[in-house]
Amino acid sequence: GTAMAYVAGWGFILCAGFITFDVIARRFLGFSSQATTELSGYALAFGISWALAHTLASRAHVRIDVLINLLPPALRYPMHLLSLAALGAFVGFIARDALNLVDESILFGATDISVLRTPLYIPQGLWAAGICVFFVLIVAMFVENLLLVLAGRGREAEANLHTRTYDEEAAEALEAVGAI
């Protein structure tokens, strides 16, 4: 997950550099790669899907958990699992359809209609790989935390699944700037 997130992050940086170069080249050098939109679209799509697993593992997805915090632990722990199960069901459908899309692109030899004529299974496959890794992580986390709850260790499961606290967010920000 972390390695995929780094690849995604560097992909975004390269994408920004490529777009900047293309804009400057168009304005001052009189030429364009004519592939900026295509390549940046691919980089953004696979970059987002590749970062999803890391975001889940680091508990950085946005969740609105005002009500869950008011529940007693006996209800709160299953609600965290229910939340993860719902995410898993949703992502499972997306993963299945992503793989079907790649399969169809291979079957029909689909290519982009741009200058590069990119075989679509390549960017779609990179995108689908990120979605599938995300799904596998959701399933693994669900099983791990379900077993923790069943073993009477719901507090540990909640620590794995609950959104980060303000203190955790602040500590991460301070660490990022080298203040800790």
Side-chain angles (χ1 to χ4, degrees):
T2 302
M4 290 175 75
Y6 278 112
V7 170
W10 280 108
F12 293 144
I13 290 170
L14 290 173
C15 183
F18 181 56
I19 291 169
T20 301
F21 169 77
D22 208 50
V23 168
I24 291 171
R26 221 176 307 142
R27 174 72 172 106
F28 297 110
L29 304 174
F31 74 91
S32 170
S33 71
Q34 298 182 6
T36 308
T37 303
E38 178 181 4
L39 294 177
S40 61
Y42 296 152
L44 292 173
F46 98 78
I48 290 168
S49 74
W50 278 36
L52 288 170
H54 177 70
T55 305
L56 178 64
S58 60
R59 299 179 4 238
H61 281 125
V62 175
R63 277 184 42 181
I64 301 171
D65 56 2
V66 175
L67 295 177
I68 200 168
N69 292 332
L70 302 175
L71 298 174
L75 292 175
R76 208 170 47 237
Y77 304 151
M79 293 303 288
H80 287 300
L81 291 172
L82 179 62
S83 171
L84 194 58
L87 179 64
F90 176 69
V91 172
F93 285 117
I94 294 173
R96 181 200 63 201
D97 289 344
L99 292 172
N100 286 340
L101 181 67
V102 173
D103 186 50
E104 284 182 18
S105 291
I106 292 170
L107 179 67
F108 294 113
T111 61
D112 196 329
I113 57 171
S114 68
V115 174
L116 297 179
R117 310 254 331 135
T118 304
L120 288 177
Y121 74 88
I122 296 170
Q124 290 170 350
L126 292 169
W127 170 73
I131 299 294
C132 290
V133 168
F134 184 41
F135 177 71
V136 168
L137 179 66
I138 293 168
V139 171
M141 286 180 69
F142 180 82
V143 170
E144 174 191 16
N145 290 289
L146 175 63
L147 293 174
L148 284 171
V149 169
L150 293 175
R153 296 165 50 192
R155 191 169 267 216
E156 289 177 55
E158 184 171 45
N160 292 337
L161 300 176
H162 196 277
T163 54
R164 292 188 290 182
T165 65
Y166 293 121
D167 292 335
E168 290 172 319
E169 293 277 351
E172 180 185 15
L174 290 172
E175 183 181 329
V177 296
I180 292 182

